[in-house]
């Protein structure tokens, strides 16, 4: 006869305070991302899974929960998927069904995603990587899913570039060069500014309709910085990236605004209550600190602002 073990987690806690999130992190699973007429992409994904915990319950049955979580994730990733956020959504809904004491279930997923492209000048085949960021939150009111990516690019500081422009202009004036020639030269030859490696994060949270394409989000994020970068680059490509980045110098704030403009242009019919998260972090080259800017907003607000609907304050 087996011994009945006490269910300590179901007892009352000494301090009756509810918890917003209880769960597990670092759960690794393979996810097959389907593509039309092509072999699926296999991702090694890492999941975080949480439920809320009422004040009257001591614990969330962590060992038993892990079994439920593992079964849930295995069911969610068993077949090919075309939208990775659906994996999170299905898992969150299953968790909500299996826990009679919880009112909210959250599932987050990150995975490295590789895309193929070619270098801008030498047209050599190369690969670029992005980190997929997906999540879902399930409640009695329904499920919200988030899909997005974190990408790396290059930015150039407009402030330091402006100082270089002033120095170049003064030097050319001292050499007796005509003003018209100086202006033409500076228009055609971007002046130096200190550059940074930039990290852009762009995600969109919706109720799943209309769907948002992961590859489109990656493109918007990559195009938001001064220049794209490539894993493979020959000298003509390096020259292209240097010229491109200095031709489009951007503050960290400009990159976030470029993401806002890009997502509004890419998805003009997105639901007003979709939530867009945009973050830009730059690894500064001449400072020991880094620069960061972000915005989280309903799509209706972004559309109005991008289209000039918000007047400038005094």
């Amino acid at each position: 006869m087996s011994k009945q073990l006490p269910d300590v987690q179901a007892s009352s806690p000494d301090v009756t305070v509810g918890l917003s999130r209880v769960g597990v992190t670092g759960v690794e699973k393979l996810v097959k991302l389907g593509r039309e007429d092509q072999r699926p992409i296999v991702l090694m994904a890492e999941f975080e899974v949480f439920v809320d915990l009422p004040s009257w319950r001591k614990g969330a049955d962590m060992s038993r929960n892990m079994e439920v979580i593992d079964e849930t994730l295995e069911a969610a990733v068993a077949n090919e998927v075309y939208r990775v956020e659906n994996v999170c959504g299905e898992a969150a809904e299953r968790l909500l069904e299996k826990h009679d004491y919880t009112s909210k279930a959250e599932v987050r997923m990150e995975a490295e995603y590789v895309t193929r492209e070619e270098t801008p000048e030498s047209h050599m085949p190369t690969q670029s990587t992005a980190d997929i960021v997906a999540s879902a939150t399930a409640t009695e009111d329904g499920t919200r899913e988030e899909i997005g990516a974190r990408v790396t690019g290059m930015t150039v500081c407009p402030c330091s570039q402006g100082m270089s422009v002033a120095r170049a202009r003064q030097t050319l004036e001292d050499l007796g060069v005509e003003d018209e020639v100086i202006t033409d030269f500076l228009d055609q030859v971007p002046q130096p500014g200190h550059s940074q490696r930039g990290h852009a994060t762009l995600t969109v949270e919706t109720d799943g309709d209309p769907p948002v394409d992961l590859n489109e989000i990656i493109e918007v994020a990559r195009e938001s910085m001064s220049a794209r970068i490539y894993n493979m680059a020959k000298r003509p490509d390096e020259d292209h990236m240097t010229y491109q980045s200095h031709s489009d110098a951007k503050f960290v704030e400009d990159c976030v605004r470029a993401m806002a403009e890009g997502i509004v242009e890419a998805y003009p019919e997105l639901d007003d209550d979709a939530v867009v998260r945009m973050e830009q972090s730059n690894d500064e080259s001449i400072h020991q600190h880094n620069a960061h800017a972000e915005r989280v907003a309903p799509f209706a607000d972004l559309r109005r602002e991008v289209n000039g609907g918000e007047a400038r304050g005094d």
Side-chain angles (χ1 to χ4, degrees):
M1 183 176 179
S2 61
K3 182 179 179 181
Q4 185 68 33
L5 299 176
D7 187 0
V8 178
Q9 287 88 349
S11 63
S12 297
D14 296 332
V15 180
T16 54
V17 173
L19 303 179
S20 302
R21 305 168 85 209
V22 176
V24 295
T25 63
V27 182
E28 295 182 337
K29 294 289 180 184
L30 290 178
V31 176
K32 290 184 179 180
L33 183 59
R35 298 181 293 173
E36 291 185 6
D37 303 322
Q38 297 185 67
R39 289 183 301 175
I41 298 172
V42 180
L43 304 173
M44 172 54 79
E46 184 171 305
F47 289 87
E48 296 180 348
V49 181
F50 303 101
V51 296
D52 63 339
L53 191 69
S55 60
W56 50 265
R57 187 177 178 92
K58 187 176 185 65
D61 292 326
M62 199 63 71
S63 59
R64 213 162 37 188
N65 249 9
M66 190 57 223
E67 183 178 355
V68 171
I69 289 167
D70 194 68
E71 290 175 356
T72 299
L73 290 179
E74 281 293 331
V77 304
N79 301 310
E80 287 184 20
V81 296
Y82 287 87
R83 294 172 56 199
V84 291
E85 65 270 33
N86 288 165
V87 174
C88 298
E90 181 180 342
E93 290 170 357
R94 286 173 176 264
L95 284 170
L96 194 64
E97 291 174 0
K98 291 178 178 292
H99 293 77
D100 55 6
Y101 57 80
T102 194
S103 61
K104 182 173 68 174
E106 300 175 66
V107 177
R108 295 187 58 84
M109 187 202 89
E110 290 199 12
E112 189 174 78
Y113 182 66
V114 179
T115 57
R116 296 183 181 275
E117 51 190 359
E118 64 176 32
T119 55
E121 291 294 331
S122 63
H123 305 293
M124 297 284 291
T126 186
Q127 297 180 352
S128 292
T129 56
D131 293 324
I132 298 175
V133 180
S135 69
T137 302
T139 66
E140 293 180 355
D141 297 327
T143 303
R144 300 274 294 181
E145 296 176 346
E146 177 189 41
I147 182 63
R150 183 169 51 250
V151 304
T152 303
M154 179 180 178
T155 64
V156 170
C157 176
C159 184
S160 67
Q161 186 180 60
M163 291 185 284
S164 295
V165 169
R167 179 191 292 271
R169 180 177 290 279
Q170 185 62 56
T171 300
L172 292 170
E173 287 176 354
D174 293 344
L175 292 172
V177 180
E178 296 178 355
D179 287 344
E180 184 177 346
V181 175
I182 294 175
T183 299
D184 287 344
F185 173 78
L186 294 176
D187 286 343
Q188 295 181 45
V189 182
Q191 295 305 293
H194 75 84
S195 60
Q196 300 95 193
R197 178 171 291 183
H199 309 278
T201 302
L202 175 61
T203 70
V204 179
E205 178 192 299
T206 69
D207 59 6
D209 186 33
V212 178
D213 183 68
L214 171 63
N215 291 297
E216 185 71 46
I217 289 179
I218 290 174
E219 282 298 304
V220 171
R222 283 181 173 155
E223 289 296 324
S224 68
M225 290 175 272
S226 296
R228 299 169 70 124
I229 61 174
Y230 301 85
N231 288 344
M232 165 73 177
K234 299 183 77 65
R235 281 186 296 176
D237 304 309
E238 293 175 355
D239 178 64
H240 173 94
M241 286 184 279
T242 303
Y243 183 87
Q244 176 65 34
S245 61
H246 285 80
S247 296
D248 192 18
K250 289 180 177 178
F251 290 121
V252 66
E253 299 92 334
D254 294 323
C255 298
V256 172
R257 290 173 174 134
M259 279 188 268
E261 184 178 41
I263 204 69
V264 168
E265 181 178 342
Y267 292 98
E269 304 302 322
L270 198 62
D271 287 345
D272 286 351
D273 64 350
V275 177
V276 182
R277 178 167 65 95
M278 302 158 289
E279 297 181 11
Q280 179 73 26
S281 295
N282 289 345
D283 300 335
E284 293 282 354
S285 59
I286 63 171
H287 304 294
Q288 288 191 341
H289 59 262
N290 295 326
H292 183 87
E294 63 182 75
R295 174 74 187 279
V296 179
F299 186 71
D301 291 355
L302 287 185
R303 183 194 293 117
R304 184 182 67 252
E305 293 174 33
V306 167
N307 293 331
E310 183 173 81
R312 180 178 177 180
D314 293 333

